[in-house]
């Protein structure tokens, strides 16, 4: 780790205020996780680019933090630079910066009579995180509504990628070495969008523990199967390690009921995997990211 003050000065010269040892738990929906060595909140794509360049010059690993909604940060925190997207939230029409709140975008577009993002109702995310995860569910995913994504390439140059050049897959956009700066959406007038959005949201409220401290579905659905149903059939609803429990409402959610640690969650994840493997012979793959 290079000296704190040296890297702080380095960032300051690029117009960025860094903090050191910033606790990450408050920035995650699970409310779990230790500190980041270095933490910055750029306000513009140019500042974000400067932060990425500074970290590269200093040989520090970089992580992008959006809504922290699909993420388990380790109790020991993370080394290197965490770039928080929360201040990058400008929107011009359907061109939307990475830090923009997805729920707000869904609401605003549906209010404007535009369809295409309803499937994202009830998904806690920012636009950048939702693109990078290809967020979605049973009713579709975000890739279906994307026109283009503005990125920083691994070499650090800004580029606009057409939707057709992005290898979107189930819960992945296939370009993890790129940074999402903004996305352009392709929506269409649809008088039915509001009704569909309300229905999807109501179904999620009925079947998912919304409003608790969780990170969404913990595991990907194996091909042709449902992780939640398999975990449920193992009788694991309500299983607990420390402050972490398998939700009684939807078995693919782990809830921090207070005082939970990343270690609690990881032990519970291993327990769930062991039981599902023993009963179904299936290896569950994580959907959430581990930092
Ligand atoms: N089920 C159970 N027990 C449970 C949970 C589900 O029996 O504890 C059954 C349900 O009754 C239903 C079936 O499993 O018959 C499927 O459940 P659900 O409709 O909840 O869908 P899912 O496959 O579990 C997926 C996404 C969710 C998304 C919903 C709704 C994945 C891993 N999960 O869940 O996404 O919200 O569809 O669109 O792709 C997420 O990605 O974080 C997430 C929550």
């Amino acid at each position: 780790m290079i000296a704190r003050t040296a890297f702080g000065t380095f960032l300051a010269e690029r117009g960025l205020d860094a903090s050191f040892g910033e606790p990450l738990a408050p920035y995650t929906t699970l409310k779990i996780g230790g500190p980041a060595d270095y933490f910055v909140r750029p306000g513009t794509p140019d500042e974000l680019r400067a932060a990425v360049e500074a970290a590269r010059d200093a040989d520090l690993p970089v992580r992008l933090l959006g809504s922290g909604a699909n993420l388990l940060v380790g109790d020991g925190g993370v080394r290197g630079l965490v770039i928080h997207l929360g201040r990058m939230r400008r929107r011009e029409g359907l061109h939307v910066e990475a830090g923009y709140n997805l729920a707000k975008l869904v609401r605003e577009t549906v209010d404007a009579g535009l369809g295409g993002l309803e499937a994202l109702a009830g998904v806690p995310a920012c636009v950048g995180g939702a693109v990078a995860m290809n967020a979605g569910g049973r009713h579709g995913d975000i890739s279906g509504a994307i026109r283009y994504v503005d990125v920083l390439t691994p070499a650090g140059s800004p580029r606009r990628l057409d939707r057709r050049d992005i290898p979107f897959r189930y819960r992945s956009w296939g370009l993890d070495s790129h940074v999402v700066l903004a996305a352009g959406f392709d929506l269409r007038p649809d008088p039915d969008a509001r009704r569909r959005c309300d229905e999807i949201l109501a179904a999620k409220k009925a079947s998912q523990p919304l409003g608790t401290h969780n990170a969404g579905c913990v595991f990907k659905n194996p091909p042709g199967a449902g992780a939640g149903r398999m975990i449920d059939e193992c009788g694991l609803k309500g299983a607990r390690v420390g402050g972490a429990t398998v939700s009684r409402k939807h078995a693919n959610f782990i809830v921090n009921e207070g005082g939970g640690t990343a270690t609690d969650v990881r032990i519970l994840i291993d327990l769930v995997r062991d039981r599902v493997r023993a009963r179904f012979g299936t290896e569950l793959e994580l959907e959430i990211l581990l930092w």
Side-chain angles (χ1 to χ4, degrees), residues 37-249:
D37 285 349
Y38 307 102
F39 182 86
V40 284
R41 293 164 61 96
T44 63
D46 281 347
E47 285 182 11
L48 191 154
R49 187 178 170 194
V52 171
E53 270 172 14
R56 200 179 45 201
D57 292 351
D59 215 10
L60 285 176
V62 174
R63 298 171 195 269
L64 278 298
L65 176 61
S67 302
N70 195 56
L71 178 64
L72 176 63
V73 178
D75 297 318
V78 293
R79 309 289 71 85
L81 176 66
V82 170
I83 302 178
H84 187 261
L85 298 171
R87 287 179 57 229
M88 273 183 49
R89 45 173 190 230
R90 264 167 299 272
R91 173 180 165 210
E92 282 157 43
L94 294 179
H95 176 91
V96 191
E97 281 185 353
Y100 203 86
N101 183 284
L102 183 69
K104 183 166 145 67
L105 182 65
V106 172
R107 203 169 46 243
E108 289 169 351
T109 54
V110 166
D111 282 350
L114 294 173
L117 287 175
E118 313 84 270
L120 282 308
V123 175
C126 65
V127 163
V131 169
M133 280 297 301
N134 191 16
R138 198 135 50 98
H139 308 275
D141 49 46
I142 200 166
S143 69
I146 296 281
R147 184 191 291 267
Y148 61 80
V149 180
D150 288 345
V151 300
L152 277 185
T153 65
S157 19
R159 215 170 119 195
R160 175 160 294 181
L161 301 178
D162 189 88
R163 192 228 169 280
R164 281 167 304 208
D165 299 327
I166 304 172
F168 281 112
R169 297 186 295 264
Y170 172 61
R171 295 299 176 273
S172 160
W173 74 319
L175 293 176
D176 284 345
S177 51
H178 291 59
V179 173
V180 178
L181 298 175
F185 291 91
D186 199 2
L187 307 179
R188 53 183 193 286
D190 183 346
D192 226 21
R194 162 154 311 287
R195 185 189 55 76
R196 273 203 312 279
C197 184
D198 289 348
E199 273 176 20
I200 290 170
L201 206 51
K204 283 192 183 165
K205 277 188 182 145
S207 66
Q208 299 182 0
L210 306 186
T212 66
H213 295 152
N214 69 75
C217 283
V218 173
F219 302 100
K220 294 180 183 175
N221 282 338
R229 179 182 299 216
M230 292 165 109
I231 300 165
D232 193 356
E233 284 178 12
C234 289
L236 285 169
K237 278 185 168 170
R240 168 184 289 273
V241 175
T245 67
V246 173
S247 165
R248 290 188 183 280
K249 209 162 180 184

